[in-house]
Amino acid sequence: MTAPLTPRDNQPPDDSRHPDAAPAAEHGTTTGLMPARELREGALIALLVAVTGVLLGLVWNWLAPHVPLVADTRNVYLKNTEGEESIGADGTFLLLAFGFGVLTTAAVFLFRRKGGIPLVVALVVGGLLGATVGWLTGMWLGPTPDMAAHAKQVGPGVVFDGPLRLQAKGALLAWPIGAMVTQLVLTALFGPPDPAPEVPHWLQDEQGQQSEQGEHGQQGRPGEHPPGRPQQPEVPEWLRKGHDGPPSA
């Protein structure tokens, strides 16, 4: 019987002379540099995604319905009290932001098919910043928020467009949600498979020794009866000699 070579407390043996020790150290150094590179790429992706929010503001200002207003000499009123232009503006922003999240994530996945936590955080942060930039850009490009000055400019009884506003601020999350859904779907369909974890060298040595011991145990020792078969009784020597000789007359 040989004693198992399992280290105490299941810890790998500290053998700096092992041939695999040097490559393992080099591999650890390489993996230490990867997070810094991924962080730089994530910051760049978040910045580029946030810049595309300007395009979102342009499209939102172009497609969103504007609220018609009318004024007299004192106050400003809604032309149509039952109008749904405010809800339409929020819905338009919601759909556009979700679509921008899908498109930007697909473009990022086309150039960089790898995943990772930095990339996911970059898409979420960049999408939230892009939605905010689009919201502010659309309001800035739309009619002036000073309705009193605008009413004096156009005159009493003249219909003019009200400022473009986002009533439901939760629509800002449509971009990050669209980005996450697209990233999950594209990664599941076209992403590279995860690499198999490497087995430490001390576990490989232990498994090899256990397999060798198992093979020796199956072969058995010389003269040992194999298990599973009935053992034949031994014939005495004097009876074997009498049986092997010629029959008596």
Side-chain angles (χ1 to χ4, degrees):
M1 297 296 292
T2 59
L5 300 179
T6 306
R8 295 182 179 179
D9 299 333
N10 295 328
Q11 297 295 328
D14 187 10
D15 189 2
S16 59
R17 296 173 297 177
H18 197 277
D20 295 337
E26 296 177 358
H27 180 70
T29 305
T30 305
T31 54
L33 298 177
M34 289 302 294
R37 179 181 178 183
E38 291 182 357
L39 288 176
R40 290 194 300 268
E41 292 180 354
L44 180 60
I45 291 173
L47 180 61
L48 294 177
V49 171
V51 170
T52 57
V54 178
L55 183 59
L56 172 61
L58 292 174
V59 179
W60 181 45
N61 182 50
W62 176 40
L63 297 178
H66 296 272
V67 180
L69 302 176
V70 63
D72 54 12
T73 57
R74 294 184 178 181
N75 300 317
V76 179
Y77 305 95
L78 291 172
K79 181 183 178 182
N80 186 7
T81 56
E82 297 181 357
E84 298 179 354
E85 288 82 7
S86 299
I87 300 176
D90 292 351
T92 303
F93 184 89
L94 179 66
L95 295 178
L96 289 175
F98 189 87
F100 269 76
V102 173
L103 293 178
T104 53
T105 305
V108 171
F109 186 84
L110 182 62
F111 291 99
R112 189 179 186 276
R113 293 182 178 270
K114 297 180 180 180
I117 296 178
L119 177 62
V120 174
V121 174
L123 291 174
V124 172
V125 174
L128 188 58
L129 292 177
T132 305
V133 171
W135 167 43
L136 298 177
T137 304
M139 290 195 307
W140 178 67
L141 295 175
T144 175
D146 191 356
M147 293 181 291
H150 197 180
K152 291 180 181 180
Q153 182 181 359
V154 298
V158 179
V159 179
F160 61 96
D161 292 335
L164 185 61
R165 294 177 178 176
L166 184 64
Q167 302 294 335
K169 299 302 187 293
L172 297 174
L173 300 177
W175 191 322
I177 292 175
M180 288 299 94
V181 172
T182 306
Q183 178 68 18
L184 290 176
V185 172
L186 293 179
T187 303
L189 294 178
F190 307 105
D194 296 335
E198 298 181 358
V199 181
H201 61 84
W202 57 275
L203 282 179
Q204 294 178 357
D205 297 342
E206 181 180 354
Q207 292 176 358
Q209 293 177 0
Q210 291 179 356
S211 61
E212 292 179 0
Q213 293 178 2
E215 292 177 358
H216 291 306
Q218 291 178 359
Q219 293 177 0
R221 298 179 181 178
E224 183 179 359
H225 179 69
R229 294 183 181 180
Q231 185 175 3
Q232 300 294 336
E234 297 183 0
V235 181
E237 187 68 22
W238 61 271
L239 185 58
R240 185 184 297 114
K241 290 181 179 181
H243 179 74
D244 294 339
S248 58

